[in-house]
Amino acid sequence: MYIRINTELLSGLLGLALAAIFWFNIGDLGFLSAVFPNSVLLFLAVVSGLLVLVGLFAGEPVTIDMRGVIPVVFGIALLAIWWLGIRHVGFVTTSVPLFAILALVLKRRQGPLSLRDVITAVVVACVVVGGFFWVFSELLGIRPFRAPFP
Amino acid sequence: MSEIFSTRRTALAGVMAACIVAVPAMAQDFPSRAIEYIIPFNPGGESDVTARLQEPLMEEALGISVNVRHQPGGGGAVAWADFQANAEPDGHEIIGINIPHIVAQPIQRADAGYTTEGFDIITWFHMTPHVVVVREDSPFQTLDDMIEFARENPQSLTVGGSGTFSGNHLEALRLQELTDVQITYIPFTGTGPLPAAILGGHVGAVISNSTLGVEMGDNVRVLAVASEERLETLPDAPTFRELGLDIVGGTYRGVAVPNGTAPEIIEVLADLFTEMNQTLGERQVPMGFQMTDIRGEDAIDLMVRLREQYGDFLN
Amino acid sequence: MDILIAAALAVLQPHMLIIILLGVTAGLFVGALPGLTATMALALMLPFTFTLDALEGLVALGAVYMGTIYGGAFTAILLNTPGTPSSIATTFDGHPMAKQGRALEAISVATIASVVGGVVGVTFLLIAAPPLAQLALKFGPAEMFWVAILGLTLIGSLATGSLLKGLLGGAIGLLIGTIGISPIGGESRFTFGWPPLQAGVSLIVALIGLFVIPELLQMIRRGQASLEPSDTIGNTGFQFMSALRTVLSKPVNLVRSCAIGQVIAVIPGAGGSITSLVAYNEARRWSKTPETFGKGNPEGIVASESSNNVMVAGSMVPLLTLGIPGAPPDAIILGVMLLHGLRPGLDLFTQTGVLANGFIISMGLAALMLAPIGLLGGRLIYRVIIRTPHYFLVPTILIVTILGTYALRNNVIDVAIMLGLGVVGFLIRGLGLHAAPIVLGLILGTIAEQGYVQSVLGGMALDIPQLRLVANPLSQVLIALIVLVIVWAAWPKRFSRKKQG
């Protein structure tokens, strides 16, 4: 599946949107703090405006390969769940199952999974997650995540 | 103004009293696990190096491991906010605190994420008095020369320091107020860039901590020190008071626990820091530090006094 | 001379050599983990150095520093992930080479370039520290502002494809850099009512997010690893000789990159992340075949890795002579020196000459040790990565990046920022917006802002304070240089060539 989009126009609009979001949230700043962000916002707006113009008058739609959208959406959702889990449940308790699930989903695309694959994935997940957690928290002395479980 | 502060002071005392009543003594269990010692600044600064020196001494005295962790960001505010929101009040999580930061940020920022009163202070263990420093070949032989120049050339004298609404900045404002001259204060990001600014002639003078004056040795001249008496390490530098200006101030560093920690535990820790100061002093006094032991009511008084002195500048 | 010999003898003790060996090895592995910076590695070592004497402590720190900066090259090449900000430019050609099955060659080239860079930096530090230090002092706020603007012109060549999109990326990077407490005004900006954003977006958090996460999502999308295993593994050994020939066959590139590294390193506050980008850019600009850059040209690796290892010793110039930390890790070395009662300055080289020179010589030894340790360690890391099936590699990298990001500031919000920027970075890649200009904007934004605001403040007594920016001769030289670079880039002949490429 392919779609055709005008990347100049889109990126220009993205830049303008970003500039607008920041512009309306700049708040009440003194000269020392405001002068630089104002200049950057102006620069961003000018560049984005130019991109919109180029997109409107000389833009050539670019063909984008949309294959693999479903795995990407899955991947992004996984990242979100991962972070929520680390924050509210625990690093090891979240990472071991998600590690195994991600590994199995990726492996699944090469062929059917056997029970052995599942067991391997879980064991590897335990070893890798536990191993790195140990290295960071014990060896490198990084503070463990603040969450109810490890 | 002072009325508000005295109310706050009473409130603070009240909170402390409430804690004494509310929390059952559990000091006999302390310490029962490793202690987290959080430094809200980047590695390599004075707070960090001090904590690294204290770490092995604490481990030896308490017989448990002590882990120094960094959580820099927002001039310390991020770590302080996280600490007040999440740390357990059982003495196993302690955090480095600094004056004037924890006094100034909550006043000056719309939402710093923490409050000055949200800490139970163990002790302020040392301070570095502010100094005014010029390059060794500067035309300013004395502080008077400098003030005179500033009086004749408003805004022309540039004075570098670390940060805005920091101790350095507030001291510069106070100097302006007392002498009634206009100087231009130029903030730098920390003490690190200040030697370059002064040696490269990018600023006319620097207001910084005593440690910088000691460290830069003969390359600079220290015009005045904001301490009560002259420093052993800078014997030729007069105090502001000798020069007729009532400026005594500096950056204080200390440690705190969250509100609600048992007073017995705070005392155990405070005694330990006092004891460690003996060993630390041998190394740090020659670097320009002044060892202190300001705890309990005195620790709160110190903050209230500073708030009275500098509160007007911050609003 | 006597001092140098005595210093060399003090360092060439068996236990010193073991300290250097251990330090370089430890640094190498720390540097290879994204999120673990040289600054953090040195901070972790501080308590150990208190138990050593002054020279031993400094030697250990110097060795770890050298190892960390070099270790960043591994992940840059193998995973398109700069382990430290100073190896961003190494990804540009290192990773394409790895994709072509030339990973070992790329690692060997990076190693030899690093050794050369490290030794050059140490040599300059030994023979030319005082004059270089005077150069460093010339860079005040106004000059730093122009250095940052000069850096921004790099966007012209970092932008693959449209220049406008490159500028948009740079502007986005500059904007991200303004989040948090403003460096000069001290007020909180763009926190959107959320106190944790006072910490701002750390460069390294953005770097990991924008480089690693899109790569992982790409692997998830395609269902396979992006690395081609090399056929030549095993039979050509370390490819040491051929890599040596590659590095030495373009001596001009090597000399130029080292010179760039040396000059930028002594400018306090510029740091290693810019040195390698500038050196890379110049290598490409002066090459006869600029179109081969970004597609697996070893010259790009040589430029990046030689210049960033020059920086290690180069940034010690202002540190040892003036007490000015040239790069963040130097602040820790300064702390250790002060604790041992050593004051930076020319006295350091005369009164305690054995110690100062011994420290410098030990960094040279550390650089030389990069060769055997790096070639062995690199081969080990390569094998592990290439033999791990992609379905285990992807989640493992994710675990390491999450832990590394958290470790940076013990801040779980940073993990969310990293993942979020990564997803956005992946999506806008489709629009032709790439990570490099964004990261460049983020690096240079703070430098530009500080320089600008401090200069204007310094000019308060003038009628137009902004004139302070152009008052110094060095500022004017830098402005001329910027104009020159822009004119060069816009020259019609080169313009058409770029369009073809």
Side-chain angles (χ1 to χ4, degrees):
Chain A
M1 195 177 84
Y2 297 89
I3 57 163
R4 290 168 69 75
I5 53 170
N6 186 333
T7 57
E8 269 89 14
L9 185 64
L10 266 179
S11 45
L13 291 175
L14 179 82
L16 285 178
L18 207 59
I21 293 174
F22 275 72
W23 177 255
F24 288 113
N25 281 286
I26 195 161
D28 182 24
L29 293 179
F31 169 80
L32 296 185
S33 302
V35 60
F36 187 74
N38 284 339
S39 320
V40 171
L41 283 172
L42 184 69
F43 178 59
L44 177 62
V46 168
V47 171
S48 307
L50 282 175
L51 270 168
V52 169
L53 289 180
V54 169
L56 284 179
F57 296 107
E60 288 170 35
V62 176
T63 307
I64 302 240
D65 184 354
M66 291 294 283
R67 283 175 300 179
V69 165
I70 294 167
V72 167
V73 171
F74 162 78
I76 294 173
L78 193 86
L79 293 181
I81 297 169
W82 211 310
W83 184 75
L84 288 173
I86 290 172
R87 182 92 202 262
H88 298 290
V89 185
F91 177 76
V92 177
T93 36
T94 306
S95 297
V96 168
L98 290 183
F99 186 111
I101 289 170
L102 180 55
L104 289 171
V105 167
L106 287 171
K107 181 119 205 305
R108 174 71 187 79
R109 290 166 71 186
Q110 292 177 340
L113 296 173
S114 66
L115 181 64
R116 198 164 156 238
D117 290 330
V118 177
I119 295 170
T120 317
V122 172
V123 171
V124 171
C126 290
V127 171
V128 172
V129 173
F132 276 110
F133 187 68
W134 181 81
V135 167
F136 274 77
S137 61
E138 298 299 319
L139 217 56
L140 298 176
I142 307 302
R143 183 170 70 174
F145 291 89
R146 231 188 253 282
F149 300 100
Chain B
M1 204 64 180
S2 64
E3 234 174 332
I4 299 171
F5 285 119
S6 59
T7 327
R8 282 211 188 165
R9 193 159 148 189
T10 326
L12 276 171
V15 169
M16 285 190 71
C19 297
I20 296 167
V21 180
V23 180
M26 36 183 210
Q28 60 267 37
D29 303 331
F30 179 82
S32 54
R33 60 186 165 91
I35 288 184
E36 302 265 321
Y37 185 173
I38 298 148
I39 294 298
F41 300 100
N42 276 314
E46 279 108 345
S47 300
D48 174 54
V49 174
T50 308
R52 299 281 173 192
L53 285 169
Q54 289 164 340
E55 182 184 339
L57 297 174
M58 285 176 80
E59 290 186 336
E60 200 183 320
L62 295 172
I64 39 99
S65 63
V66 174
N67 301 313
V68 176
R69 324 271 200 210
H70 299 102
Q71 199 177 356
V78 172
W80 289 320
D82 185 40
F83 188 79
Q84 291 194 351
N86 296 314
E88 295 288 333
D90 61 4
H92 293 92
E93 291 187 55
I94 62 176
I95 192 163
I97 46 173
N98 295 47
I99 279 180
H101 308 50
I102 67 163
V103 177
Q105 285 171 0
I107 302 178
Q108 181 252 332
R109 292 183 192 168
D111 184 7
Y114 73 95
T115 58
T116 312
E117 293 79 16
F119 295 109
D120 281 359
I121 293 158
I122 299 171
T123 173
W124 297 107
F125 50 69
H126 73 225
M127 64 107 53
T128 44
H130 291 136
V131 290
V132 175
V133 173
V134 294
R135 200 162 70 174
E136 150 272 323
D137 60 358
S138 159
F140 308 138
Q141 295 297 329
T142 62
L143 190 71
D144 279 342
D145 294 349
M146 191 180 100
I147 301 294
E148 212 42 52
F149 175 83
R151 197 183 306 285
E152 282 159 20
N153 307 280
Q155 295 195 317
S156 285
L157 176 69
T158 51
V159 176
S162 155
T164 302
F165 298 117
S166 61
N168 297 166
H169 185 197
L170 296 173
E171 222 65 272
L173 291 172
R174 190 156 164 79
L175 183 62
Q176 283 199 84
E177 190 187 54
L178 291 178
T179 57
D180 198 27
V181 298
Q182 280 183 308
I183 58 178
T184 301
Y185 176 78
I186 301 189
F188 286 78
T189 50
T191 310
L194 292 179
I198 192 161
L199 293 179
H202 311 308
V203 290
V206 152
I207 291 192
S208 185
N209 299 328
S210 52
T211 41
L212 185 94
V214 176
E215 179 192 321
M216 294 185 66
D218 295 338
N219 290 320
V220 295
R221 180 163 50 244
V222 180
L223 297 183
V225 188
S227 55
E228 315 239 348
E229 283 163 29
R230 288 193 184 207
L231 299 184
E232 275 172 52
T233 42
L234 294 168
D236 300 330
T239 65
F240 276 101
R241 285 194 174 159
E242 284 175 50
L243 301 170
L245 295 167
D246 184 26
I247 300 181
V248 175
T251 303
Y252 287 81
R253 296 184 190 79
V255 276
V257 286
N259 277 158
T261 308
E264 294 87 345
I265 292 176
I266 296 179
E267 205 178 309
V268 170
L269 287 168
D271 289 343
L272 179 59
F273 276 94
T274 311
E275 199 186 304
M276 288 191 295
N277 256 2
Q278 311 253 316
T279 323
L280 258 59
E282 287 167 23
R283 276 192 141 145
Q284 294 197 309
V285 170
M287 292 165 67
F289 289 89
Q290 279 197 319
M291 310 318 277
T292 57
D293 181 20
I294 306 169
R295 45 165 117 171
E297 266 309 304
D298 293 343
I300 299 166
D301 283 348
L302 177 66
M303 292 196 292
V304 172
R305 205 181 70 221
L306 284 168
R307 194 151 40 184
E308 276 164 14
Q309 208 165 28
Y310 299 117
D312 288 342
F313 298 131
L314 295 168
N315 287 319
Chain C
M1 208 56 211
D2 291 347
I3 285 181
L4 278 186
I5 293 169
L9 288 177
V11 175
L12 286 168
Q13 303 283 333
H15 76 283
M16 283 293 190
L17 294 176
I18 290 172
I19 290 178
I20 300 175
L21 186 76
L22 291 176
V24 171
T25 313
L28 192 149
F29 284 101
V30 171
L33 292 170
L36 295 188
T37 57
T39 317
M40 198 188 304
L42 295 191
L44 285 170
M45 287 192 46
L46 267 181
F48 298 106
T49 59
F50 295 148
T51 59
L52 306 171
D53 73 31
L55 181 59
E56 290 168 341
L58 288 173
V59 165
L61 291 173
V64 171
Y65 192 176
M66 194 66 93
T68 326
I69 296 296
Y70 163 71
F74 288 133
T75 37
I77 291 169
L78 294 171
L79 303 169
N80 199 25
T81 303
T84 60
S86 50
S87 44
I88 296 172
T90 311
T91 60
F92 299 160
D93 281 290
H95 193 59
M97 282 181 78
K99 279 184 174 167
Q100 295 156 12
R102 294 158 70 199
L104 276 182
E105 186 193 337
I107 290 176
S108 306
V109 168
T111 308
I112 293 166
S114 298
V115 173
V116 173
V119 172
V120 166
V122 167
T123 313
F124 268 97
L125 181 53
L126 274 180
I127 59 173
L132 283 171
Q134 290 311 310
L135 174 70
L137 283 180
K138 296 258 188 302
F139 286 84
E143 288 81 3
M144 289 310 291
F145 173 74
W146 294 113
V147 165
I149 300 298
L150 188 61
L152 281 175
T153 61
L154 290 175
I155 286 177
S157 47
L158 290 180
T160 35
S162 154
L163 178 64
L164 267 182
K165 285 180 187 170
L167 290 175
L168 179 64
I172 293 174
L174 289 171
L175 195 61
I176 294 175
T178 62
I179 296 174
I181 300 298
S182 76
I184 302 298
E187 293 170 88
S188 56
R189 290 191 301 217
F190 302 126
T191 54
F192 302 93
W194 198 44
L197 271 186
Q198 284 178 106
V201 177
S202 148
L203 164 66
I204 293 157
V205 169
L207 192 68
I208 298 173
L210 289 170
F211 278 87
V212 188
I213 301 299
E215 201 67 21
L216 292 180
L217 286 172
Q218 191 65 21
M219 283 202 235
I220 292 176
R221 170 180 168 171
R222 302 197 318 158
Q224 64 189 54
S226 52
L227 275 191
E228 282 295 318
S230 162
D231 313 326
T232 51
I233 185 170
N235 46 31
T236 44
F238 300 143
Q239 305 187 322
F240 179 76
M241 289 317 287
S242 77
L244 191 63
R245 270 197 297 277
T246 310
V247 175
L248 296 180
S249 68
K250 296 276 196 306
V252 179
N253 182 22
L254 193 63
V255 170
R256 182 184 49 230
S257 305
C258 289
I260 291 171
Q262 186 63 54
V263 171
I264 298 185
V266 299
I267 304 176
S273 31
I274 314 183
T275 48
S276 57
L277 285 168
V278 174
Y280 179 86
N281 189 42
E282 294 309 311
R284 184 169 126 163
R285 192 204 305 274
W286 296 99
S287 167
K288 290 193 186 73
T289 54
E291 67 279 359
T292 57
F293 277 76
K295 294 174 187 147
N297 187 338
E299 284 179 55
I301 302 180
V302 171
S304 167
E305 285 299 312
S306 60
S307 66
N308 71 19
N309 278 281
V310 171
M311 194 264 316
V312 175
S315 64
M316 300 277 170
V317 169
L319 178 75
L320 296 180
T321 52
L322 306 165
I324 301 164
D330 298 341
I332 293 172
I333 293 177
L334 177 64
V336 169
M337 287 173 53
L338 292 174
L339 274 177
H340 284 288
L342 301 167
R343 262 180 230 160
L346 293 177
D347 290 353
L348 190 69
F349 289 86
T350 49
Q351 288 172 12
T352 49
V354 171
L355 196 132
N357 289 303
F359 173 46
I360 298 170
I361 292 169
S362 81
M363 279 195 289
L365 290 174
L368 288 174
M369 279 192 203
L370 290 180
I373 299 171
L375 291 170
L376 282 171
R379 197 175 159 81
L380 181 76
I381 293 177
Y382 171 73
R383 287 204 163 183
V384 168
I385 288 181
I386 208 77
R387 291 203 176 155
T388 309
H390 79 279
Y391 47 85
F392 286 141
L393 192 60
V394 172
T396 306
I397 298 172
L398 197 53
I399 291 283
V400 175
T401 49
I402 288 175
L403 282 169
T405 308
Y406 177 72
L408 190 65
R409 305 197 286 194
N410 285 300
N411 190 342
V412 76
I413 306 297
D414 280 347
V415 179
I417 293 174
M418 183 274 286
L419 295 174
L421 277 179
V423 170
V424 172
F426 176 79
L427 296 177
I428 61 176
R429 251 191 206 186
L431 295 177
L433 298 174
H434 293 274
I438 301 180
V439 170
L440 188 70
L442 195 51
I443 295 172
L444 296 172
T446 341
I447 302 176
E449 172 164 17
Q450 283 170 32
Y452 181 80
V453 179
Q454 286 173 347
S455 305
V456 172
L457 271 176
M460 284 317 261
L462 303 174
D463 292 333
I464 307 170
Q466 276 78 3
L467 283 180
R468 187 73 193 77
L469 283 168
V470 294
N472 300 351
L474 187 57
S475 303
Q476 291 153 6
V477 170
L478 288 164
I479 295 167
L481 210 58
I482 292 167
V483 172
L484 203 70
V485 166
I486 293 172
V487 170
W488 180 300
W491 205 253
K493 207 168 115 196
R494 305 197 51 95
F495 196 64
S496 62
R497 192 196 277 172
K498 232 174 226 166
K499 263 200 166 167
Q500 285 166 14

